[in-house]
Amino acid sequence: MKTIGLIGGMSWESSLEYYRLLNQATREKLGGLRSAKSILYSVDFAEIEQLQHQGNWKQTGEILSFAAIALEKAGADFIILCTNTMHKVAETIEAAIAIPFLHIADATGMEIQKQGLKTVGLLGTKFTMEEDFYKTRLIQKYHLDILLPSPEERETIHRVIYEELCLGILEEGSRSQYMQIIRELRDRGAEGIILGCTEIGLLIQQQHSPIPRFDTTEIHARTAVEYALNQSPVTSIGLKR
């Protein structure tokens, strides 16, 4: 079994989910008392969030690269970054280490392809929804059509993530707003919905969506376990050496 290196803390609410999902998937596959071999480097999200909204991606890349290097030195066999938004600096992290890096959009794109879907809606932070680093990867590598909520809806989604979900607050009113946004994306042609922020799955379960939901946290964790157990070759799950 390979040792999984996790860069977490963005927020720790979703990092907690990663830890649960990694160990749950390992036990389901191996049985008994088996659990995932993992090392977690948890950053201070307040520092990262401030740099995000300042547009200082260079410094966030340096912080996360330091974390990745520390995980590699500690014995991790590959790295997962437990956040969608910070994959904006994925290339910086990859360049800093010699071990593989499993990109969350690759794991998600592969899963959507398996389901045979073409047009999907994307929910996430404004950075993830509006900038090219995430959706362009899905379009170019997995030939998906990506639908975004309206600008006003993107503001709502972003606010709920930072002011509620990252603080462990789950509000029924916010769930209703997200559900309405998903219905509108479905009406525009979305066959599925990407929960492109690792906290959104805490709020939106499958019963809350009229179309298949692709929870990036669940998909990323499950794919990491498959690789750790040598059940998926590097090329099939989008790992970059």
Side-chain angles (χ1 to χ4, degrees):
M1 183 191 304
K2 295 179 178 69
T3 299
I4 306 168
L6 300 90
I7 305 176
M10 299 165 283
S11 67
W12 68 259
E13 298 286 344
S14 60
S15 299
L16 181 65
E17 278 296 288
Y18 265 94
Y19 187 73
R20 179 183 68 81
L21 291 164
L22 289 171
N23 287 292
Q24 182 176 297
T26 302
R27 184 173 62 192
E28 288 173 354
K29 289 179 178 293
L30 300 181
L33 297 175
R34 300 300 296 274
S35 56
K37 291 182 179 179
S38 63
I39 307 169
L40 171 65
Y41 189 113
S42 189
V43 303
D44 181 358
F45 188 39
E47 181 180 4
I48 297 293
E49 185 272 340
Q50 184 178 36
L51 292 169
Q52 286 176 341
H53 287 92
Q54 290 173 352
N56 191 345
W57 300 103
K58 182 178 184 295
Q59 191 170 346
T60 61
E62 291 171 354
I63 292 169
L64 299 185
S65 293
F66 179 88
I69 292 168
L71 288 168
E72 182 175 12
K73 289 180 178 178
D77 293 304
F78 67 103
I79 299 291
I80 60 173
L81 177 59
C82 303
T83 162
N84 286 271
T85 297
M86 291 316 303
H87 277 73
K88 181 175 174 67
V89 298
E91 291 184 1
T92 301
I93 297 170
E94 290 172 344
I97 55 177
I99 56 177
F101 177 90
L102 173 54
H103 199 293
I104 196 168
D106 288 337
T108 302
M110 291 288 292
E111 183 62 26
I112 295 170
Q113 282 189 333
K114 287 179 186 177
Q115 299 291 331
L117 304 186
K118 174 69 173 176
T119 303
V120 288
L122 173 62
L123 307 183
T125 66
K126 288 179 64 179
F127 309 114
T128 299
M129 291 186 290
E130 296 178 356
E131 299 189 29
D132 290 336
F133 70 93
Y134 195 89
K135 60 179 183 286
T136 298
R137 192 179 186 102
L138 292 171
I139 293 167
Q140 293 182 347
K141 292 191 67 173
Y142 303 99
H143 311 293
L144 300 176
D145 293 328
I146 306 296
L147 298 180
L148 299 180
S150 70
E152 294 78 11
E153 290 169 335
R154 296 199 293 267
E155 289 285 351
T156 296
I157 294 165
H158 186 89
R159 179 191 59 77
V160 169
I161 290 169
Y162 281 94
E163 296 181 11
E164 297 175 18
L165 302 183
C166 288
L167 296 173
I169 300 169
L170 304 179
E171 295 283 358
E172 282 300 324
S174 297
R175 178 179 287 122
S176 296
Q177 288 180 301
Y178 272 51
M179 290 170 65
Q180 179 59 32
I181 291 168
I182 293 171
R183 286 193 293 268
E184 291 176 1
L185 288 167
R186 175 205 58 189
D187 293 344
R188 289 168 50 198
E191 302 167 292
I193 190 75
I194 299 172
L195 306 187
C197 170
T198 52
E199 285 81 25
I200 296 178
L202 301 172
L203 184 70
I204 299 296
Q205 303 300 312
Q206 185 56 63
Q207 66 264 28
H208 302 129
S209 174
I211 50 180
R213 122 199 199 283
F214 294 90
D215 184 343
T216 54
T217 307
E218 293 178 1
I219 294 168
H220 204 200
R222 184 175 66 249
T223 306
V225 169
E226 290 172 358
Y227 179 62
L229 299 180
N230 300 306
Q231 295 178 349
S232 293
V234 169
T235 53
S236 74
I237 59 172
L239 273 162
K240 180 177 178 180
R241 289 191 183 279

